[in-house]
Amino acid sequence: ALALRGTAENSAINGGNVLVENCVIHDEVYDLETQKSPLNGITYGDCIGVTVRGNRVENFEGSAVFTMSWWNRNTTIVDNQFLGVTNGVALSMASAEAKPVQCPRHEDVLIAHNNIVLGAHKHAPWGTCGVSLYGGDFPAVIRMKGVHVRENTISGSAYTDAKGNRACPLGAKIQILRAVYHDLRFEDNVLDLPDYSEATYVPQEPFSQSMLFFPLALWEEATKAGHVLYRRNRTPNGKVLYPMLTDWYFKNAPTWGKP
């Protein structure tokens, strides 16, 4: 719907002041028969100093804000209404055979004060998620740094997907294969996602799919080294939430990632 592409040169010339404000994107359905890839509302890449604020993405079967395998720095995504979306904000880093596709780096990104309501999207290829940080199999170079997700409201309910399966949304997730990140913070978010699936790795209790960390083997290292911080995230009733941990094959017994 709206795509921004820049270069280091023109971003510097413009002082890095790019503002995406008061846009309305709405009523768009993902059609597997005619569309080659999932829908993205606001996309940006190779930019410095982008601010995305005060926008409304509504009844949109795709990601409200999406950045693929590009780089971005000093980005602010605040005070938006993302209502009935597949993903609120998705930052992704793709790779092939452990080699970067393009030059993905996400640095100093603030995602705050957004209201994200996840929709019942039957054709969502990977389900629905409020804030998704995803990375493929990269060599050990920091590629995601200083991404702070705080004081957002994320909500959603279970639904039946196109295959007839019960699908439950995720509130926030880190799904990055290797520890190519530092200073990722999820703080003071309110997550209203009471439903949970019967999957082996999911704790069978309300709100267990509010947060997810993958892979389980990196949790201890990531938290001790200060790579990842989950703090003061809670349900609307004030219950403190911890991320569920998943192993490489999503078949482990339910496990919580606690400080």
Side-chain angles (χ1 to χ4, degrees), residues 132-168:
S132 171
L133 306 184
Y134 173 84
D137 194 0
F138 287 105
V141 175
I142 298 297
R143 296 187 178 277
M144 194 174 286
K145 180 180 180 182
V147 180
H148 296 179
V149 181
R150 66 175 188 239
E151 298 180 358
N152 300 281
T153 299
I154 304 173
S155 59
S157 301
Y159 61 93
T160 302
D161 67 16
K163 298 179 180 179
N165 299 318
R166 183 172 182 269
C168 297

Side-chain angles (χ1 to χ4, degrees), residues 27 42 68 89 93 107 110 114 174 203 224 228:
D27 299 312
I42 300 168
M68 201 188 76
V89 179
M93 303 182 296
E107 300 177 348
L110 174 64
N114 301 289
I174 295 175
K224 283 187 176 181
V228 173

Side-chain angles (χ1 to χ4, degrees), residues 16 25 38 43 84 87 112 129 151 192 214 244:
I25 301 169
T43 68
N87 300 292
C129 183
E151 298 180 358
D192 189 6
F214 170 93
M244 60 177 177

Side-chain angles (χ1 to χ4, degrees), residues 77 109 129 217-218 236:
I77 304 170
V109 180
C129 183
L218 292 180

Side-chain angles (χ1 to χ4, degrees), residues 128-226:
T128 59
C129 183
V131 176
S132 171
L133 306 184
Y134 173 84
D137 194 0
F138 287 105
V141 175
I142 298 297
R143 296 187 178 277
M144 194 174 286
K145 180 180 180 182
V147 180
H148 296 179
V149 181
R150 66 175 188 239
E151 298 180 358
N152 300 281
T153 299
I154 304 173
S155 59
S157 301
Y159 61 93
T160 302
D161 67 16
K163 298 179 180 179
N165 299 318
R166 183 172 182 269
C168 297
L170 279 171
K173 71 175 181 181
I174 295 175
Q175 186 176 348
I176 303 174
L177 270 65
R178 309 294 176 190
V180 291
Y181 47 78
H182 178 72
D183 190 26
L184 307 184
R185 301 185 186 186
F186 290 81
E187 300 177 288
D188 300 302
N189 299 286
V190 176
L191 300 112
D192 189 6
L193 298 105
D195 300 319
Y196 53 94
S197 75
E198 296 179 356
T200 304
Y201 61 92
V202 176
Q204 297 298 291
E205 60 181 78
F207 299 98
S208 58
Q209 290 194 211
S210 295
M211 312 187 81
L212 178 147
F213 177 88
F214 170 93
L216 182 159
L218 292 180
W219 173 257
E220 186 173 353
E221 173 192 348
T223 52
K224 283 187 176 181

